[in-house]
Structure formats: structure tokens, C-alpha cells
Amino acid sequence: MRWSAPVVALAMVAAGCGEPPWAAPPAPTGLVDGALAASPRQPGAATWQRHCAICHGASGAGDGFNASLLAVPPPTAAVLAARGEGLAAAIGEGSAARGASPLCPPWAGVLDRTEVAEVVEHVRRLADPAR
Amino acid sequence: MYVSYALSGVALLGTIAWAVVDERSADWRAHQAEHALVAGRAVDIALRQHYLPALGVADRCGSCHLGIDDPDLAGAPQPHGAHPGTLLDSHPPERFGCTPCHGGDGRFATYEGAAHVPGPRSLDPMSPPGELEARCGVCHGEPVVAGAPVLTEGRRVLAESGCAACHEIPGVRLDGPFGPSLDAVGAKLPREAISGWLRDPGAERPDTRMPSFRLDDGQREALADFLAAQRLVDAPTPDLADADPDAGRSLFGQARCTTCHAVKGRGGTLGPPLDRVGERLSPAWLAAWLRDPHRVDPDTAMPLIRFEEQEVIDLVAFLVEEMVSDDGVAPVIGPVPGGARIEAGRRVFDELGCAACHVVRGVERERQFAPSLRGFGATPVERLAFAGLPEGTRRTRADWIYRKIERPELQQPVAKMPLVRLDPPQVAAATVAVLALQEPGWPHVRAHEPPAAPVLRGEVGVLFDRFRCLSCHQLGGVGGTVSGAPLDREGSKVEAAWVERFLLAPDTIRVGQQERMPHLGLRPEEAQVLAQWMTLVLRDDAIPTEAPAGGEAARGAELVETLGCRGCHPIDGKGGYVGPDLVRTGARLRAGWVYGLLRTPALMRPEVLHPDWGLGEADAASVVAYLKGLAPPVEVEP
């Protein structure tokens, strides 16, 4: 019994010498990770392509095939991105709600919040490819 | 004696002490203490566990990952951070645990024990990020899984590459032959062209779905002889002396061939591109094909288009004259090859399993002869052979499957599997889809049984087959995707008179759309049968036949302007070209359908995603009244 105290103390010292538990080693990546990293997913790109590119253009230059047919030219991604935090609301409520032409409809009933947020992210990427 | 008692007593005490110390200094305690600092709240130091016997889950992951449902900890360093995304809303850990979606061993509350990374003792280590979606696919068997784009792409790749011709793949149905019939290929292509195609199908046509079989010269030439002898349709070469290629060009446009066939990179992808068809395919075969494609290949997606004999000749003349490269001329088919190589070629055809995709008369069609992929995603790694695989291949299921698809020729012993032309992200996605082929026996599994083609009896069935309606249109979840609008509710959607006239003389519904209904040459009685059948059978009782009364056309006209309908729809030629012209919509669409579309677009056209203004009953009825009044009803010419 007299020896137990030093043994416990020694064990505690030994335990304390280990790696800090939260220093997790990096996970090795496999072939799938490597192949997918080569073409990173762009959230919002598909939604942009389907709903927005028709007028605003695939690259956000405001030159979609429908653009020339509209009475008011659709804004470019750079103009849209400059609206900052208000862009998500504008996509949801439509352009008429902001006092502009009614040509861009409200998408809130069709796209959910995550999709709108992803599209906003994509608009910012288009406006500034360095992002 | 006393010494050994003393020593074992010390050893026992030491062991107990070590156990106590080990427990007191466990990783999770340190994490929980640290979490109190990171999250700024008191933490009750205790193991946390989700015990779900039905899933075989006893997950203690929450002992270290304390912040997964705390939005304030988004982006905090692990193990304290919140779970990214919104998946936990639909998959609460109290119901699903952690390891069914992430893998690993949830019984352990240590980093190594829980198999965060593959280790020597871990049977099912956690999935690395790229492979994670495979676990979504274990329960979600449907082809398109929201929130899992890699899995969805992988399932598309598996289906469209024709993997199911040779492998049984749960969730992928392949009813007809995947490739064209080869019964008449000897009359279609010169023998040398067949040999050249077999050398490397992708060199001839980069978008071909035919994989590469790595044939040696002897196999290839024997197979070319065997195929060159297949001349079931041996029509005489048409006399093009009196043909009118200009008339052929007009017919080419009128029949809307580019809805399915690309020319100069523009056009559909359902059929092969036609750029060099005039110098590749024999005029005799082209003429036979245009007269009745189903006599040449009973399983082709191409509809019968009723051309007159002179029209066939004019079209062939147009293809031979214009669908050629600079100095291209129509090919000449040589005599039928003879000799022993034909029999050798037939054996190659058998051995390689060509009949899994292609029909040749007299060769038994053997499908899905390759190993079944049912449950393949759970194959123990020990059963997979890694010998011969290149450096950088981990000993994991994922890497083995990736290499198998990417470099099938490296497999030992050498496998028959051909090389499918895929880029690395497609190989990765297909790997994820194969990994998802597991049958864990959980209560949450939603197996996807792809629907069978609808059985259409009688005259309607004959017409659907003759004009191959389901090559482009969807019905009962089956069919092509050239048309974006499934036919299931067509009878509740369009006016009967409009359908009948449209079938006889299809006009442009959406100006901005390249894919348009071809002129098939239906006879009036055929159009009438189809129109009546659609009106009676393709109905959805949830869709009203009429809009509520009381709509005011003037108010509707005002709404059409203020809502911005012109952004997508032209009216009198002014406005966008995305949606149909609103002037003619009134004659085409039923009032109840338009009303429903305006009130609940997501229910009516989920595939189109018409915007939703939340219109009230009176406003929607007014828009309907305006649109129905814009155009006179369609009259069918007798």
C-alpha cells in the first residue's frame, strides 16, 4: 500500500507526457478525394445556370440569350454582388419589390434559403473570380 | 513465496491504478474541459451516447463532439465545431446516430479507437470527405439525391455508361439493348471502317458510349470480318442522279433532325452527330434506315418519320453531299468476307460479351454475365486484390474500385472489363455510387426500384412504339429527357383540339428551345386517337378543369405587366424567349391548369420551376380570363 502512491504518481506523469489529445493527425486522402479536389464543387453554380444564366449570362456578364429581349437590361454579376447583404432578399422578393422593373420574378417560393445563399455566393464568385 | 505474493499484489494495484488514471485522463474528458472554454458554458463531464439497437449503433461520438448542434460554434476547431450544413435537421443523431452516415466505430471515445482514419484494427473506418456521400446512398436509393451531388453524378455515370448491361446494379434498369443492333452493320459500314472503329471507338467519335476493349490485332480483324458479314438489310444503292439535295436540306430542317442529332456541335445528343455521316455510312443503308429505322434496328430510339420514297432519296443525297468532310465521298461496301475468320470473330464476339449490348441475329443475348454489384460496396478489403495496382493506391475499397474503373487492364488476373471513357471526377463519382451499393438491413433504407416502362395496349401502344414517343417524353417515370414536361398529366393540361393539331403539324412552343417536336407525318386518324386517349386517360383529378368564375380579363392584363411575365414570355413578339408565347397559350392550355400553375407552380411544374408570386384566387382567375381571351380556340383541319 505504501508503494501505491508513487506508482500512481509515476503513471500520471507518464500519461501527461503523451500528445495533447486534440492534436489529431491529418486524415490521408484517397483517389476519390484527389480526383474531386481537381474540380471543386461550386455551390450555387447549378441553380445559377438553371434560373439566372438565361438573362444574367453564364459568366454573369448580363449577356444571357434572353437579355437582348428585355426592356431593361439585366444587371451583371458585379452589379448584383455590389448589393451586398441585400442581394439574398432581392432574389427572394423579386426586382419589383425593390422598385426596379418587374422582369426578375420573386424566387422565394421556389428556391429555399440554402439555395438562395448558395446563389449569392456564386454571384460573388462570378463578380470576383479570385474569391 | 512471499516475494511473489508481494509482486503480484503490486502488479494488481498498479493495474487498477493505471485503469483509474487512464479513465481520469481520457481524451474526451480533456475535450469536455476544453469545450467549456470554447463554448463559454458549463459542461457536465460525462460520457454521452446514442444507443439505437435497430441500427446496431452505440455512438459515443458526442462525448468529444459536444458542439455539433450549436450554431454559435460554426467553424470552431474540431472536435468542438457545429455540424456543417442543415443535415442534422432531417437526420437528428438521437434517431440516426453518427456512424451510419460517417462510418467509424462509435463505441470508442478516442480518436484512434473510433477509426477517424483507417488503422490496422478498424474494419469500417470513417469516410474521407470525398467518399462521404456513398453513405447517403446506402439509405437513399433514388437516382437524384438532394444534397449529394457526387453520388447523384455517380449514379448518372453508372446508368449512362451502360454498366448494367454486364453487371446487375440495384437501382439501375436497362430494358432494351444498350447499343445498336449489328444485324446490318456490314451493309452500313465498309469492313475497314468497322476495323478502325474497333481499334478505338473514341477516336472516331469522342462522345460514343462504347467502351474500349483492348483487342489485339487478330481479335480485331476476326471481329471485323464477322461484323462485315452481318447484312440482314441489304438494300440496293439508291440512284442519286435525279435526287435534289436542296429539297433534302429543307426536309432535314422540317423534320427537325437536330432535335436529336448534332451538326457542327449544335443539336441533340440522343442520336449520333451527323457531321460526317455521308462519308461514313453507305447510301444504301441510309436509305433503308430513313424508310423505316425499325426494320433495321427494332430497338432504336429513332421514330418512324413518314418520308415519301423521293424524300428519302433527296435526304440521302443531301447527307452524302453536305454531311462530309472536305474531300469526303460516300463509302463503298465491299463483298461479303468469307473464310474461317468469321467463325473466329464470332467467338471473340461471344467471349467479350458484345451481345450484352448489341443484338446480332443468331447470337444468344447474354446479359449481366459479370459479377453482380449488389452489396459490392461492403466487400471486405481482404477479398480485393491490390497486386499490380499503381503506387498511391491505398488498401481501401474506394481506391480499389477507383482503379478498377480507371485502369481495368491492371487487374490480376486480367479481367474482361472494358475501359469506359471517363474523366477523373466522373471515375470518382462512379466509385462513390458503387460504394453506396450496400445492404445494411437498416429500417431507414429506401431502396429504389426503377419503374418499368408503362404497358400501353391497343392502337395507342402501336402508335407510341411507331413514333417512339418515349424516346423524348416521360410517362410513368420512364422515357427520354429531350422534352422537359412529362406526359402523365397532359390530358389535364392541354386542350384536346390543340394536341390533335400539334401532332399533325407541330409548331414552336418555346422560341428559345432548340429541341422541338419533329414532323413525324402522323395521319389524321392517328393524331385523333392519341389526342382522345390523352384527354381521357392522362388525367390528374387534382387539377381542376376550369378556373374559378369571376376572373376579370382587364385586371389579368394589368397583372401580366406588373408581375413581369414578359421577362420570360413573349406577348405579341415582345418579351423574353424562355417560356411559351402567352398569346397562344390560351388556345393550348386548359383554364384549370393555368390557374393551378399560377397558384401552386411547384405542384404543377416541379421540373420547370415557374416563379411563385403567391397569387390569390381572384388574381389568378383574372390572369386566366385574360390569357384564355387572347387567342381563338384551335380548329383542326379535317
Side-chain angles (χ1 to χ4, degrees), chain B residues 5 32 39 63 107 126 136-137 141 164-165 177 224 242 251 277 373 394 435 447 463 504 520 523 555 571 580 613 625:
Chain B
Y5 276 139
Q32 294 193 353
S63 304
R107 295 169 303 171
M126 283 181 64
C136 309
D242 297 328
L251 278 167
V277 73
L373 297 187
R394 297 172 311 163
L435 278 172
L463 292 172
L504 290 172
L520 296 163
R523 303 198 170 105
R555 166 82 181 134
I571 303 171
W613 286 273

Side-chain angles (χ1 to χ4, degrees), chain B residues 204-580:
Chain B
E204 189 73 42
R205 198 184 140 192
D207 70 328
T208 182
R209 300 192 298 179
M210 175 148 158
S212 171
F213 282 87
R214 310 183 293 278
L215 304 173
D216 63 40
D217 289 357
Q219 285 177 314
R220 188 181 64 243
E221 294 312 314
L223 197 48
D225 269 4
F226 169 67
L227 293 174
Q230 305 303 322
R231 301 191 181 183
L232 190 64
V233 175
D234 212 351
T237 300
D239 181 7
L240 301 179
D242 297 328
D244 180 356
D246 290 334
R249 185 187 300 107
S250 316
L251 278 167
F252 189 83
Q254 279 167 27
R256 295 185 180 148
C257 305
T258 53
T259 290
C260 297
H261 297 280
V263 175
K264 294 196 172 82
R266 288 179 59 87
T269 54
L270 188 58
L274 297 181
D275 298 275
R276 290 170 50 230
V277 73
E279 68 192 44
R280 291 191 57 238
L281 311 189
S282 82
W285 185 92
L286 282 172
W289 181 261
L290 289 168
R291 279 182 203 114
D292 185 355
H294 306 165
R295 277 196 59 208
V296 183
D297 182 354
D299 295 300
T300 181
M302 171 131 162
L304 171 75
I305 303 178
R306 284 211 181 92
F307 294 120
E308 305 286 335
E309 179 59 22
Q310 185 58 45
E311 292 177 328
V312 168
I313 304 297
D314 291 345
L315 264 170
V316 172
F318 163 70
L319 296 175
V320 166
E321 193 159 294
E322 294 203 16
M323 296 295 159
V324 288
S325 51
D326 287 344
D327 48 359
V329 290
V332 177
I333 303 292
V336 181
R341 273 214 306 215
I342 292 187
E343 196 42 47
R346 187 202 167 93
R347 279 199 301 277
V348 174
F349 192 86
D350 271 340
E351 283 161 17
L352 294 179
C354 306
C357 288
H358 297 285
V359 171
V360 165
R361 198 173 56 152
V363 178
E364 198 181 331
R365 183 158 167 238
E366 192 195 3
R367 290 191 56 193
Q368 301 194 333
F369 58 85
S372 167
L373 297 187
R374 188 176 287 279
F376 191 82
T379 310
V381 179
E382 296 76 26
R383 277 205 234 145
L384 304 172
F386 286 83
L389 298 188
E391 216 170 294
T393 312
R394 297 172 311 163
R395 288 187 68 84
T396 64
R397 279 191 286 266
D399 278 21
W400 188 89
I401 295 168
Y402 186 97
R403 290 289 191 221
K404 171 79 178 170
I405 300 171
E406 181 204 31
R407 305 280 303 274
E409 78 279 10
L410 294 180
Q411 261 243 303
Q412 299 294 337
V414 175
K416 277 191 212 173
M417 183 158 134
L419 174 69
V420 181
R421 264 170 300 281
L422 299 172
D423 59 25
Q426 288 174 323
V427 176
T431 302
V432 166
V434 173
L435 278 172
L437 298 170
Q438 302 184 26
E439 296 177 328
W442 290 334
H444 302 288
V445 169
R446 279 190 280 179
H448 172 75
E449 198 53 51
V455 179
L456 302 172
R457 295 178 203 286
E459 228 176 312
V460 171
V462 170
L463 292 172
F464 260 70
D465 183 54
R466 181 178 295 156
F467 297 108
R468 296 291 198 264
C469 308
L470 298 187
S471 289
C472 295
H473 296 276
Q474 294 260 331
L475 183 62
V478 173
T481 51
V482 176
S483 163
L487 292 177
D488 300 77
R489 303 186 293 178
E490 196 71 2
S492 295
K493 175 181 165 190
V494 296
E495 300 279 3
W498 176 86
V499 185
E500 197 176 330
R501 195 197 49 78
F502 183 75
L503 288 170
L504 290 172
D507 53 2
T508 300
I509 297 174
R510 288 175 187 77
V511 182
Q513 191 168 4
Q514 187 166 268
E515 300 85 7
R516 304 198 193 151
M517 173 104 163
H519 276 271
L520 296 163
L522 267 78
R523 303 198 170 105
E525 61 275 18
E526 291 173 337
Q528 199 178 24
V529 165
L530 283 176
Q532 284 176 356
W533 176 78
M534 281 186 200
T535 317
L536 292 170
V537 177
L538 300 184
R539 296 300 288 261
D540 180 349
D541 292 337
I543 300 174
T545 43
E546 291 300 327
E552 295 166 27
R555 166 82 181 134
E558 192 186 309
L559 278 167
V560 162
E561 296 304 331
T562 54
L563 295 177
C565 302
R566 272 188 212 269
C568 289
H569 296 274
I571 303 171
D572 279 336
K574 277 191 220 117
Y577 279 179
V578 181

Side-chain angles (χ1 to χ4, degrees), chain B residues 114-161:
Chain B
H116 285 74
V117 294
R121 287 181 305 146
S122 50
L123 292 176
D124 184 21
M126 283 181 64
S127 295
E131 296 156 32
L132 201 51
E133 289 177 20
R135 298 197 188 257
C136 309
V138 172
C139 293
H140 297 271
E142 57 275 21
V144 176
V145 181
V150 177
L151 174 68
T152 300
E153 164 71 358
R155 289 196 165 142
R156 186 195 65 78
V157 170
L158 289 191
E160 294 190 4
S161 304

Side-chain angles (χ1 to χ4, degrees), chain A residues 1 3 7-8 11-12 15 21-22 24-25 27-33 35-36 39 41 50-51 54 65-66 69-70 102-103 105-107 109-110, chain B residues 10 17 27 30-31 34 111 117 128-130 149 392 394 399 402-403 424-425 428 431 512 561-564 567 575-578 607 609-611 613:
Chain A
M1 234 11 192
W3 296 350
V7 167
V8 170
M12 289 181 86
W22 47 86
T29 53
L31 297 170
V32 169
D33 281 284
L36 293 176
S39 62
R41 197 176 86 82
R50 191 150 183 225
H51 293 274
I54 294 164
F65 89 88
N66 204 46
L69 302 161
L70 303 179
L103 294 175
W107 290 111
V110 174
Chain B
V10 168
D27 288 0
H31 287 315
E34 197 189 44
Y111 187 83
V117 294
R394 297 172 311 163
D399 278 21
Y402 186 97
R403 290 289 191 221
T431 302
E561 296 304 331
T562 54
L563 295 177
Y577 279 179
V578 181
E607 69 284 356
L609 300 185
H610 191 278
W613 286 273

Side-chain angles (χ1 to χ4, degrees), chain A residues 16-110:
Chain A
C17 287
E19 291 282 303
W22 47 86
T29 53
L31 297 170
V32 169
D33 281 284
L36 293 176
S39 62
R41 197 176 86 82
Q42 301 201 323
T47 309
W48 172 268
Q49 203 53 36
R50 191 150 183 225
H51 293 274
C52 316
I54 294 164
C55 297
H56 296 282
S59 63
D63 59 350
F65 89 88
N66 204 46
S68 63
L69 302 161
L70 303 179
V72 182
T76 62
V79 172
L80 292 172
R83 294 192 188 151
E85 296 304 311
L87 181 56
I91 294 170
E93 294 163 11
S95 48
R98 300 174 53 84
S101 87
L103 294 175
C104 192
W107 290 111
V110 174

